[in-house]
Amino acid sequence: MRKILIVGAGQSGLQLALGLQGHGYEVTLISNRTPEEIRGGRVMSTQCMFRTALRHERELGLNFWEDRAPRIEELGLSVAGPEVPGAGRERAVDWTARLDGHAQSVDQRLKMAGWLETFEERGGRLVIHGATLSDLDYFARHYDLVLVAAGKGELVSMFARDAARSAHTAPQRALAVAYTHGVEPRTGHPGVEAVSCTLVPGVGELFVTPALTVSGRADILFWEGVPGGPLDVFEDIKDPAEHLAATLDLMRRYVPWEYERAAKSELTDAGGTLAGRYTPTVRKPVGRLPGGGLVLGVADVVVANDPLTGQGANAAARCAAGYLESIVAHGDRPFDAAWMQATFDRYWESARHSTRWTNAMLAPPPHVLDLLGAAGRLPAVAHRIAAGFDDPADFADFFYEPEQAAAYLASVAGPAGVPAGGPAA
């Protein structure tokens, strides 16, 4: 039986560990926290899993919360217009599109704690320890393969930045999250759950996502602010109540239609807020330990995008699924550097689309804003953009170049500018 060590108990590390267990591998998992500490700690993310990622979990029998989490059937996108003195702001663009398959968001405190317990129940070895380079140097001699799925801390330093694939050298957004109860349903969409995204040009973005958290159904309020701009105020706020107050005050100022829904909301719990920032980076996938051993980076250790397009947890699920397939197919052969590089290269074939799309949306050129606006008039365009959250590869065919976008809009609108049809919201 081949022995595999995974460092990191997030979406990718746990999904991969549980998948390998199902194929008979002897798996050791290193986590820096116990399930109890995770469940009772601070929120970790704003995950929204779309159809493909949910399918990967379902195939492994890990969809424990699927019957309890809100079924997100639609995606809504708005662009805030300029502020009008005495009248505030209104939406310059506003549309909603059906998703091809439902999405869901489960608080990672629930998911990771539950998956860790399942890993142990199925016979996995769980080590609670903050792993260091010297630890891995020792462990690498005792395992057939070591994978690093912990995207922060000194372990990431083993993986060199890939300058050719990394567009940024500094954080592109200041991030602020609040998990809340009491957000009212969207007007005009009774009984249909949706992710709502509002772009405020030059300022940042707001996402409102229905979710399941430790205390039941919730809505995640997530601000992404341009660094140094009016939304970049959360890093020094330590009190959760003050964090929520700042979130709502900014909503009242920049997205009053969303503020109306959330004005009476309350935090789900004392750990329901999070703030921070990081630099989107692509790294080389093979790390070399001081003693010469090799380790393979997983998910956001090697491809870390800004969460603007909601790709983080989805990319992690795709990465874990691809790595699992590659490990099982490799049989008893050595997990050498060539195999590690090839395994990552197969993942990059999908991850590169998420990276390109996210970078485009961080500073959308005029033709992209035109596409978003046209989606309000052309249901087929809205549907295609919404579907791209699950399959970003499709954007390569119509999204990035002005000529492509114009040709696509003309084909949808028809020669007389009349919509040629498509899935309606």
Side-chain angles (χ1 to χ4, degrees), residues 50 55 162 198 224 262 339 360 369 373 383:
F50 292 93
R55 188 184 74 238
D162 188 335
T198 303
E224 287 225 350
W339 174 87
L369 295 177
H383 176 264

Side-chain angles (χ1 to χ4, degrees), residues 3 7 15 28 30 42 57 66 73 108-109 150 159 177 190 192 195 221 223 231 244 259 271 275 289 302 304 390 393:
K3 298 172 63 178
V7 182
Q15 181 182 318
T28 298
I30 296 180
R42 184 174 294 279
E57 294 185 354
E66 189 162 11
E73 306 281 359
Q108 289 197 345
R109 294 178 297 180
F159 305 96
V177 176
V192 180
V195 173
L221 308 179
W223 272 118
L231 304 181
L244 178 60
Y259 172 75
L289 294 164
V302 285
D390 181 52

Side-chain angles (χ1 to χ4, degrees), residues 11-246:
Q11 175 73 39
S12 60
L14 271 165
Q15 181 182 318
L16 183 54
L18 288 157
L20 288 167
Q21 275 187 323
H23 284 276
Y25 289 82
E26 184 180 324
V27 184
T28 298
L29 184 67
I30 296 180
S31 170
N32 63 356
R33 291 187 293 169
T34 67
E36 293 78 13
E37 289 170 335
I38 293 171
R39 192 177 283 114
R42 184 174 294 279
V43 295
M44 298 179 281
S45 67
T46 60
Q47 69 295 310
C48 182
M49 311 289 283
F50 292 93
R51 179 177 59 175
T52 299
L54 292 178
R55 188 184 74 238
H56 289 317
E57 294 185 354
R58 201 176 296 119
E59 288 171 347
L60 295 176
L62 301 177
N63 55 327
F64 302 154
W65 301 272
E66 189 162 11
D67 292 338
R68 295 171 51 201
R71 290 173 62 93
I72 299 170
E73 306 281 359
E74 295 181 348
L75 183 138
L77 188 140
S78 301
V79 178
E83 186 170 8
V84 178
R89 290 179 184 266
E90 295 185 354
R91 286 171 279 199
V93 172
D94 182 32
W95 52 261
T96 300
R98 283 271 180 176
L99 298 171
D100 288 332
H102 76 270
Q104 289 187 309
S105 176
V106 177
D107 186 338
Q108 289 197 345
R109 294 178 297 180
L110 274 179
K111 181 187 283 189
M112 302 316 155
W115 280 3
L116 267 178
E117 291 164 346
T118 300
F119 174 75
E120 284 196 286
E121 290 166 2
R122 294 179 180 177
R125 181 188 178 204
L126 175 61
V127 178
I128 306 300
H129 180 63
T132 64
L133 284 175
S134 59
D135 293 327
L136 292 195
D137 216 19
Y138 169 79
F139 283 128
R141 297 191 292 269
H142 301 276
Y143 288 87
D144 297 296
L145 175 63
V146 177
L147 301 116
V148 176
K152 299 178 181 178
E154 70 165 344
L155 299 186
V156 178
S157 67
M158 285 188 295
F159 305 96
R161 179 176 181 270
D162 188 335
R165 292 172 170 172
S166 298
H168 305 291
T169 58
Q172 299 301 294
R173 292 292 187 271
L175 314 173
V177 176
Y179 278 55
T180 64
H181 292 312
V183 174
E184 297 178 359
R186 299 175 302 148
T187 301
H189 299 266
V192 180
E193 301 278 14
V195 173
S196 298
C197 169
T198 303
L199 282 62
V200 186
V203 176
E205 301 82 23
L206 175 76
F207 297 84
V208 182
T209 304
L212 178 69
T213 187
V214 290
S215 51
R217 193 215 179 279
D219 285 278
I220 304 171
L221 308 179
F222 176 33
W223 272 118
E224 287 225 350
V226 174
L231 304 181
D232 189 2
V233 298
F234 290 92
E235 204 156 22
D236 294 329
I237 297 177
K238 306 304 179 186
D239 178 69
E242 186 180 348
H243 181 114
L244 178 60

